[in-house]
């Protein structure tokens, strides 16, 4: 199992405020890309889930700590791992840091679920995503989902 995905990104002008400091919402966009890439690494394509099955994966909870500002033209690394699975959600742990210095910009935990086109929560998220074995390995004390 590939447990961590790392994306590298060079901070662009559009990512920053008037002072060249990364705008706080930009980190959320970068983290979204990290979660999509993590799922893609597991063979899950969110575009196909939506198009073929009417399933989307909204964020239902996010806890983010801003620690140090990234600035224009910094290279940042967005690291994404999975902290926890349950029958209805997946919790990602994400860190954004400056590549050159290793300084941590943000630390976040992001919980997402899956809902169908009628807004009903999918009750077998690990099965839907094909991650049942990963769930057992990640949560050995929890009941299989």
């Amino acid at each position: 199992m590939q447990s961590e995905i790392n994306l590298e990104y060079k901070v662009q002008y559009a990512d920053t405020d008037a002072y060249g400091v990364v705008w706080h919402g930009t980190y959320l966009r970068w983290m979204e890309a990290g979660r999509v890439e993590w799922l893609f690494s597991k063979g899950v394509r969110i575009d196909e889930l939506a198009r073929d099955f009417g399933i989307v994966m909204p964020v239902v909870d996010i806890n983010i700590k801003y620690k140090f500002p990234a600035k224009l033209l910094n290279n940042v690394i967005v690291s994404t791992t999975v902290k926890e699975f349950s029958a209805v959600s997946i919790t990602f742990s994400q860190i954004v840091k400056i590549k050159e210095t290793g300084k941590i910009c943000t630390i976040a935990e992001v919980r997402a679920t899956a809902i169908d086109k009628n807004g009903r929560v999918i009750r077998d998220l690990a099965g839907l995503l094909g991650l049942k074995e990963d769930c057992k390995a990640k949560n050995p004390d929890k009941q299989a989902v």
Side-chain angles (χ1 to χ4, degrees), residues 28-125:
L28 299 175
R29 187 171 32 94
W30 295 341
M31 288 183 213
E32 174 95 13
R35 293 188 304 276
V36 169
E37 286 299 317
W38 189 94
L39 289 166
F40 187 73
S41 76
K42 296 295 189 178
V44 177
R45 301 244 341 225
I46 62 168
D47 59 332
E48 290 175 357
L49 282 177
R51 181 187 65 232
D52 300 342
F53 305 103
I55 294 171
V56 294
M57 292 188 64
V59 168
V60 294
D61 186 50
I62 188 165
N63 182 358
I64 187 168
K65 292 179 176 54
Y66 295 94
K67 301 182 92 37
F68 187 82
K71 296 183 179 172
L72 182 62
L73 301 180
N74 281 155
N75 292 300
V76 295
I77 296 174
V78 181
S79 299
T80 303
T81 58
V82 169
K83 179 180 180 185
E84 185 175 63
F85 291 101
S86 79
V88 297
S89 68
I90 183 170
T91 302
F92 295 91
S93 178
Q94 296 190 276
I95 297 172
V96 177
K97 63 184 173 184
I98 297 172
K99 180 181 179 183
E100 294 83 0
T101 64
K103 272 238 182 225
I104 294 174
C105 301
T106 61
I107 297 173
E109 283 190 8
V110 181
R111 188 167 52 97
T113 193
I115 58 174
D116 66 18
K117 60 186 171 192
N118 297 314
R120 289 188 299 253
V121 173
I122 305 297
R123 298 274 175 210
D124 182 15
L125 182 58

